[in-house]
Amino acid sequence: MVSTFPNSRSVDFSQIRLEIRALQSQLVKWRRSIHQRPELGFQERLTSEFIAQKLQEWGIECQTGIAKTGVVATIDGDHAGKVLAIRADMDALPIQEENEVPYCSQHDGVMHACGHDGHTAIALGTAYYLSQHRQDFSGTVKMLFQPAEEGPGGAKPMIEQGVLKNPDVDAIIGLHLWNYLPLGTIGVRSGPLMAAVESFRCNIMGRGGHGAMPAETIDSVLVSAQIVNALQTIVARNLNPLDSAVVTVGELHAGTALNAIADKARMSGTVRYFNPALEDFIGKRIEEIIAGICQSHGAKYDLDYWQLYPPVVNDPCITELVRSIATGVVETPVGIVPECQTMCGEDMSFFLKEVPGCYFFVGAANPEKGLDYPHHHPRFDFDETALAMGVEMFVRCVEKILKEGRG
Ligand SMILES: [Zn+2]
Ligand SMILES: [Zn+2]
């Protein structure tokens, strides 16, 4: 059977149960309403009010104000059992939307350009469905609506406020709508899925002077150039070639006149890697290289280094369950994408460090409808048909993981 949804590409949706297909128009409505009122990290007041209001309407117990704007809802099945958490992020980005759609952002300079509006709608749809089908699962589902994924990070403060306790969470799942995969595919991978995110800022202090008299100076431009080059040797020569990593200097500023030697330079950059064992390694090498080059030229430096998010690492057992569920949801013609890794980061990683789980991608791009701009682009939008697919995945995960947990 080909899609029952209007204007969507020919993807087989026969595996999505009728009741969830019937929710599709609501999912779209919720998503668009959230899309119109995007809010930045830790400011998701309207969004969390919207979520809490819906949950209360459906008789679902929830707590608000967790890590400022987070919402936690608890849905018990008819019988006691394990606890599965489902995480959805709610925040938008400081981007001016360029889409011309009726549901365009009404908040100047703020846009849901990553699809978190869709994640929230999917989680709401899942909560609604589960609240109507408590007889179909054992144990408890905890819905975690998380603020500030795009930074500075809401997962960690939510954990610190105890969202994984009382009742204690046994496993966690989450998804990202993904425009790097076509609609009708699901990306599932065991082990590292998304990279650690670290960043740095460095000031190089030399000695300025006349561009024609370099002997009197310490050229911060020359020192910086050597640092930029040498930092690339961390990936090329210090890491195991089988460990993927990135060191990017994204900013380098120095000088004000073509005939003067700049006394100061500043640079900043980002670091990515998958292997959790590399925590502390790359940052340490960056400092050693900067210190060594500065010392050899008589320059000074100060360096700030931040470890923002650890890598997203999926548990093999739960991932295997999710993979088997995914093959049932998107049988043909596109199927699942088993190996999909990205150097993007995600603070879902903090939850996955605490409890085993699986984060996966739900393909949402539809080039035929122009819905294939990359995430964080001012024209980002996705095929909303993926919303029902997300709900189906979550619901099946609840049914299967909680059932397996019982056995
Ligand atoms: Zn994003
Ligand atoms: Zn995102």
Side-chain angles (χ1 to χ4, degrees):
M1 186 200 84
V2 170
S3 165
T4 53
F5 302 130
N7 303 320
S8 62
R9 55 178 257 162
S10 334
V11 169
D12 186 351
F13 286 99
S14 58
Q15 302 308 315
I16 295 181
R17 62 193 77 181
L18 287 171
E19 265 184 283
I20 290 176
R21 279 187 249 168
L23 267 182
Q24 173 68 6
S25 60
Q26 286 298 306
L27 293 168
V28 169
K29 215 171 117 194
W30 300 332
R31 181 260 163 163
R32 291 186 179 187
S33 151
I34 297 163
H35 189 89
Q36 282 182 300
R37 299 185 302 166
E39 297 166 298
L40 296 176
F42 293 126
Q43 298 170 27
E44 305 93 336
R45 275 176 281 275
L46 298 171
T47 311
S48 57
E49 264 170 39
F50 180 82
I51 293 165
Q53 191 206 326
K54 291 282 167 214
L55 294 170
Q56 278 151 14
E57 237 172 70
W58 306 328
I60 299 171
E61 212 184 293
C62 76
Q63 281 173 279
T64 56
I66 313 280
K68 288 197 180 130
T69 47
V71 181
V72 177
T74 309
I75 307 160
D76 290 320
D78 274 352
H79 303 280
K82 301 235 175 198
V83 181
L84 177 68
I86 295 178
R87 176 273 205 169
D89 42 10
M90 317 182 283
D91 59 318
L93 285 151
I95 293 173
Q96 179 67 43
E97 178 155 12
E98 288 177 14
N99 286 316
E100 283 143 23
V101 287
Y103 52 92
C104 199
S105 168
Q106 293 172 357
H107 292 176
D108 235 20
V110 186
M111 176 191 177
H112 270 293
C114 201
H116 301 183
D117 48 348
H119 304 167
T120 303
I122 290 170
L124 278 174
T126 305
Y128 175 76
Y129 181 92
L130 293 174
S131 71
Q132 304 292 308
H133 293 83
R134 294 176 191 263
Q135 70 282 5
D136 293 343
F137 65 98
S138 305
T140 299
V141 176
K142 250 188 185 180
M143 310 291 310
L144 310 179
F145 294 90
Q146 182 212 298
E149 188 285 321
E150 300 288 0
K156 206 168 171 224
M158 281 189 102
I159 295 168
E160 285 161 3
Q161 293 199 13
V163 299
L164 297 177
K165 303 266 168 232
N166 191 30
D168 292 0
V169 170
D170 296 296
I172 187 160
I173 52 170
L175 64 77
H176 208 301
L177 293 168
W178 210 232
N179 264 16
Y180 305 106
L181 291 177
L183 178 70
T185 61
I186 291 171
V188 189
R189 185 187 200 279
S190 181
L193 178 78
M194 300 178 84
V197 182
E198 304 184 347
S199 66
F200 61 93
R201 238 173 241 292
C202 181
N203 292 307
I204 308 295
M205 284 80 76
R207 191 186 312 128
H210 199 291
M213 287 183 270
E216 322 281 310
T217 69
I218 297 170
D219 185 354
S220 68
V221 169
L222 187 74
V223 173
S224 305
Q226 291 185 6
I227 290 172
V228 172
N229 272 330
L231 289 181
Q232 294 311 311
T233 64
I234 299 173
V235 174
R237 286 298 175 266
N238 299 143
L239 297 186
N240 181 332
L242 300 176
D243 271 335
S244 303
V246 175
V247 176
T248 290
V249 176
E251 273 186 291
L252 176 56
H253 307 278
T256 53
L258 67 86
N259 57 356
I261 283 171
D263 65 335
K264 283 198 292 281
R266 70 191 151 86
M267 65 178 78
S268 64
T270 185
V271 170
R272 310 292 166 109
Y273 56 85
F274 290 122
N275 183 351
L278 294 176
E279 191 185 333
D280 298 331
F281 178 77
I282 297 178
K284 189 170 144 269
R285 280 299 293 141
I286 288 177
E287 171 129 44
E288 285 167 358
I289 286 170
I290 293 174
I293 291 174
C294 283
Q295 199 213 352
S296 71
H297 291 281
K300 294 195 163 36
Y301 73 93
D302 60 58
L303 173 68
D304 288 316
Y305 198 89
W306 298 274
Q307 293 184 310
L308 303 169
Y309 297 167
V312 173
V313 183
N314 283 334
D315 173 79
C317 297
I318 295 172
T319 304
E320 200 34 57
L321 281 176
V322 172
R323 192 198 301 269
S324 67
I325 293 162
T327 42
V329 172
V330 286
E331 274 181 335
T332 47
V334 206
I336 71 161
V337 185
E339 295 306 318
C340 52
Q341 264 184 315
T342 164
M343 282 289 174
C344 294
E346 244 288 342
D347 73 347
M348 176 73 181
S349 51
F350 287 105
F351 291 118
L352 291 168
K353 274 181 94 171
E354 299 296 318
V355 287
C358 178
Y359 195 59
F360 56 93
F361 297 124
V362 173
N366 189 342
E368 289 154 36
K369 286 158 73 179
L371 300 171
D372 59 345
Y373 281 92
H375 294 254
H376 296 202
H377 189 283
R379 288 191 182 277
F380 172 82
D381 201 352
F382 59 86
D383 192 316
E384 289 165 323
T385 318
L387 297 172
M389 191 169 275
V391 176
E392 180 73 31
M393 277 300 295
F394 275 161
V395 166
R396 287 195 195 202
C397 285
V398 167
E399 291 164 355
K400 184 141 187 182
I401 294 172
L402 285 180
K403 188 167 150 227
E404 306 273 325
R406 212 171 19 146

